[in-house]
Amino acid sequence: MFARHTLTGLLPFQVSSKEERAALVRACTDNLTAANQQTQTPSTGCRWTFQITHNEHVARWYHQWLDGTSPITWTIKLILTIAIALILRRLTHKLITKITVRMAEGTMSERLRERTRTIFDGSPVLVSERRRQRAETMGSVLRSISSMIILGAAALTVLGYFGLDLTPFLASASIIGVAVAFGAQNLVKDFLTGMFMLLEDQYGVGDVIDVGGAKGTVEAVTLRTTRLRDVNGVVWYVPNGEIKRVGNESQNWARVVLDVPVEYDVDLDKVRTILTETASALAAEPPWDEIILEDPTVWGVQALSGEAIVVRVVCKTAPGKQADTARELRERVKKAFDSAGVAVATFKEDTSAA
């Protein structure tokens, strides 16, 4: 009878000998006659206990104190279930906290990269704040999810101890969950987008981003919204689920693209020489020598019209420093043109130009 039993069709319980079968029957059934014992089926928990320990006394103890329906048995089950759930929850939270603390500290390569970045933007507090905020947000989400799963499973287990039929409850909970998810789909979308955004580190506190409808410096990032402040001081609250694309001007490096319109009959070689010397002199002077990452380059004629010729000069800068560099370069180009007698022309931009 007990030679093979399958738990939910997956886990086999194999008792190899008649002695073990007899021990299982004695341990996991009541003190009845032999005939009545053969008609009783040991509980799954008792079979698990006997199969793991191969000890009749341990299995008997389990059957006496945890298989019964007396108030004492229910109380022991309730205490054990709650205790196991709380211990598991605490261990899970400690593990998540340990992982998020390590995320907040960063790996050696991340610390080296961010230390290099702080040389350019001068904001080590923002760099560490960004990493800390991302780690704390992910830790909070993971702790909440683990708590809901562990405590929810414990609650269902306790309800099962009292003989409640959980099928209607689970069916009702599923229907309510679907209704709530449908009504709050935008909120769920915001949270999921925020989670992936944090995991992928698309942007963080201190970055200058363009999300389409708003552009500015990121002041705070949560799972639901992103708060940024534009150049006019206006604070924008953007739901993460509404962000379809993000342009980040503060990652790795940036580029200054300066288009200089000059008179049509000007000597282009002279203009190219002036622009090259002016930009190179800027790149060699402190503090610009640390901000400009590569030698500036004059790309050449960018556009032509009957009134002007547009010459483009570019230089690669540290992230977030392209605007300051462009202002300084414009001022120096203006002074160099005045000294060389080169006039800046009026130019109507051709939208078809690349």
Side-chain angles (χ1 to χ4, degrees), residues 112-352:
L112 179 60
R113 183 174 66 251
E114 291 174 355
R115 185 161 59 248
T116 303
R117 180 183 173 188
T118 58
I119 295 175
F120 299 131
D121 60 21
S123 55
V125 175
L126 289 180
V127 173
S128 61
E129 172 65 18
R130 169 178 177 169
R131 190 171 59 227
R132 183 196 62 79
Q133 186 181 60
R134 182 176 62 158
E136 287 188 355
T137 303
M138 293 306 303
S140 176
V141 172
L142 293 176
R143 282 191 292 269
S144 299
I145 293 175
S146 64
S147 295
M148 287 188 294
I149 294 175
I150 295 172
L151 297 181
L156 293 177
T157 303
V158 170
L159 292 176
Y161 289 157
F162 290 97
L164 297 179
D165 187 4
L166 300 180
T167 303
F169 174 78
L170 294 176
S172 301
S174 300
I175 295 174
I176 295 174
V178 171
V180 171
F182 182 79
Q185 55 183 332
N186 289 334
L187 186 62
V188 174
K189 181 181 178 182
D190 292 341
F191 274 90
L192 291 177
T193 304
M195 285 185 62
F196 283 106
M197 181 272 297
L198 288 171
L199 286 173
E200 297 171 359
D201 194 21
Q202 297 177 6
Y203 56 85
V205 175
D207 286 354
V208 178
I209 64 172
D210 182 356
V211 294
K215 179 181 179 180
T217 303
V218 178
E219 293 188 339
V221 180
T222 65
L223 283 178
R224 198 181 72 83
T225 61
T226 295
R227 188 181 80 222
L228 54 90
R229 188 182 298 272
D230 65 17
V231 68
N232 297 317
V234 179
V235 177
W236 296 85
Y237 294 87
V238 184
N240 293 328
E242 300 298 322
I243 300 176
K244 305 301 181 183
R245 62 172 181 82
V246 179
N248 194 330
E249 299 181 3
S250 303
Q251 282 189 350
N252 300 328
W253 56 272
R255 173 177 284 155
V256 173
V257 180
L258 187 61
D259 290 334
V260 182
V262 295
E263 296 291 343
Y264 194 83
D265 57 353
V266 75
D267 185 354
L268 288 180
D269 292 335
K270 180 179 179 180
V271 171
R272 180 186 290 271
T273 300
I274 294 173
L275 292 177
T276 301
E277 291 177 352
T278 303
S280 298
L282 175 65
E285 294 182 8
W288 306 104
D289 57 342
E290 292 185 351
I291 294 175
I292 299 177
L293 305 180
E294 294 180 357
D295 293 334
T297 305
V298 178
W299 281 2
V301 177
Q302 180 67 21
L304 289 172
S305 72
E307 297 82 16
I309 299 174
V310 177
V311 182
R312 172 166 291 185
V313 56
V314 299
C315 63
K316 190 174 181 180
T317 70
K321 293 299 182 179
Q322 64 270 32
D324 296 338
T325 307
R327 296 187 191 99
E328 181 68 19
L329 183 58
R330 289 191 191 99
E331 181 178 344
R332 296 194 179 205
V333 168
K334 171 63 170 61
K335 293 178 180 179
F337 277 6
D338 290 344
S339 300
V342 178
V344 177
T346 302
F347 177 73
K348 294 181 180 179
E349 182 179 358
D350 184 2
T351 56
S352 63

Side-chain angles (χ1 to χ4, degrees), residues 59-68 70 72-74 76-77 80:
R60 167 59 63 180
W61 180 91
Y62 181 94
H63 176 69
Q64 289 178 345
W65 293 103
L66 299 179
D67 266 352
S70 65
I72 296 178
T73 301
W74 283 355
I76 294 175
K77 288 182 177 180
L80 286 177

